[in-house]
Amino acid sequence: MKSLKKEDLDQEVFDLYDDYAHSRIERREFVSRLSKFAVGGLTVAAIMGFLMPNYAKTSRFSELDPRLVEETITYDSPKGAGKMKALLVRPKNASGKLPGIVVVHENRGLNPYIEDTARQAALDGFIALAPDALSPMGGYPGTDDEGRTMQGKRDREEMLQDFIAGFETLKAHEQCTGKVGVVGFCFGGWVSNMMAVRVPDLSAAVPFYGGQPTAEETANIKAPLQLHFAGLDTRVNAGWPDYEEALKANDKSYTAFMYPEVNHGFHNHSTPRYDEAAAKLAWGRTIDFFKENLT
């Protein structure tokens, strides 16, 4: 059988994967509903294998990259897990202190895709901190399915506090200027929105397809926002009109970008939801926004 391409699959397949990846349907139902697309020699196993992340083939940067200095640190999170672990990475040739970026993972822990994103942020001239919300459970377990199950057992508010504590840790780091922003994806997009609500001295927030705060919470935002949405992501996009209305009503600084004909997760280069053109455009806008607000 020839290699699958995302163009070979119906949009409903990606919608089903989104439901599965966000725990709205169980694996058994996911497999069952995929069966109707297993035609013409295409098997359910082949479809599932294609949809799942492939870190071995898609990781872009090594932990031994000579351009980077990285370490795993432990920091205090008294309102969250108590102790948290995080990847801390910065460019090796940096002179002086750097502005900081907290990089927030999806709903499955600090996987190789988010580690790659933190390394990219460092190569773009920042000191990046990528916490792992699965720290109290031993950390990212090696597969997204296991990671998603583990993260589902944690309290959402406590995890938010873990990332806020990560912000405070990075802000106080001896190699950070004290100006810190946040970027997050999916669950991390919600965290980014909520950090803008909860952290008065946050310098900038960039949520990628993240859940939105309430109108009352939006009134507390002080950081400028840059928001990225996937045109086919009807689930997250449903909340955007009310959020935008609240941002406008409270005279908040924000810019929003909608990327047509791409799926939730379009920035994640480890799955076929990835859209190279949209991802590169969105990341370029993100770095420009951080340079404008953090330097």
Side-chain angles (χ1 to χ4, degrees):
M1 186 178 68
K2 68 176 184 178
S3 297
L4 268 175
K5 298 179 181 178
K6 64 181 177 181
E7 293 80 10
D8 296 330
L9 297 177
D10 190 274
Q11 178 58 36
E12 187 179 345
V13 172
F14 293 99
D15 294 340
L16 282 171
Y17 177 75
D18 189 74
D19 284 341
Y20 171 63
H22 296 91
S23 302
R24 290 189 299 278
I25 60 175
E26 297 294 331
R27 184 181 181 89
R28 179 176 297 180
E29 182 179 355
F30 178 49
V31 172
S32 175
R33 292 173 66 179
L34 279 182
S35 63
K36 80 173 192 177
F37 300 98
V39 295
L42 187 61
T43 66
V44 169
I47 297 172
M48 289 187 66
F50 177 71
L51 291 171
M52 299 302 172
N54 188 331
Y55 298 125
K57 289 185 177 180
T58 57
S59 290
R60 296 174 172 175
F61 309 112
S62 164
E63 61 184 10
L64 302 177
D65 193 310
R67 299 169 296 174
L68 299 170
V69 176
E70 70 174 68
E71 60 182 315
T72 298
I73 68 166
T74 300
Y75 65 87
D76 292 328
S77 178
K79 296 181 181 179
K83 294 288 185 180
M84 283 285 291
K85 289 187 176 181
L87 175 68
L88 181 70
V89 56
R90 60 182 173 85
K92 187 173 185 178
N93 63 356
S95 59
K97 296 183 177 182
L98 297 169
I101 299 175
V102 178
V103 182
V104 187
H105 59 69
E106 305 153 304
N107 66 336
R108 59 211 70 173
L110 182 59
N111 61 26
Y113 153 61
I114 296 297
E115 291 180 336
D116 258 10
T117 303
R119 292 176 182 127
Q120 182 65 71
L123 290 171
D124 288 327
F126 299 86
I127 179 170
L129 183 76
D132 188 352
L134 302 184
S135 296
M137 300 173 168
Y140 176 71
T143 72
D144 280 16
D145 276 357
E146 292 176 271
R148 183 166 52 249
T149 299
M150 290 166 63
Q151 190 164 320
K153 296 177 181 178
R154 288 214 58 202
D155 179 80
R156 195 171 171 90
E157 172 64 23
E158 286 189 0
M159 287 189 287
L160 174 58
Q161 292 297 333
D162 290 333
F163 289 100
I164 292 174
F167 163 85
E168 298 293 350
T169 297
L170 184 55
K171 181 184 175 186
H173 195 278
E174 61 182 4
Q175 292 170 323
C176 182
T177 62
K179 297 202 74 173
V180 176
V182 61
V183 61
F185 306 87
C186 185
F187 163 79
W190 172 79
V191 169
S192 300
N193 276 318
M194 293 306 298
M195 283 178 63
V197 171
R198 301 282 191 91
V199 183
D201 51 345
L202 183 71
S203 293
V206 183
F208 274 70
Y209 28 83
Q212 302 93 2
T214 66
E216 292 75 17
E217 290 169 331
T218 301
N220 294 322
I221 291 175
K222 293 183 172 57
L225 298 168
Q226 185 183 87
L227 305 107
H228 300 277
F229 297 97
L232 299 175
D233 187 6
T234 56
R235 175 179 57 86
V236 170
N237 295 350
W240 170 234
D242 287 345
Y243 188 21
E244 184 171 36
E245 182 179 346
L247 289 167
K248 288 179 177 178
N250 289 280
D251 196 28
K252 301 304 179 182
S253 174
Y254 77 95
T255 306
F257 297 102
M258 186 71 68
Y259 300 84
E261 299 304 315
V262 301
N263 281 289
H264 181 98
F266 71 83
H267 181 266
N268 186 336
H269 56 266
S270 71
T271 83
R273 297 177 300 166
Y274 175 63
D275 186 280
E276 182 178 12
K280 287 185 175 180
L281 178 58
W283 187 254
R285 286 168 167 167
T286 297
I287 292 303
D288 288 345
F289 183 70
F290 281 141
K291 287 180 178 178
E292 177 184 350
N293 288 283
L294 304 184
T295 59

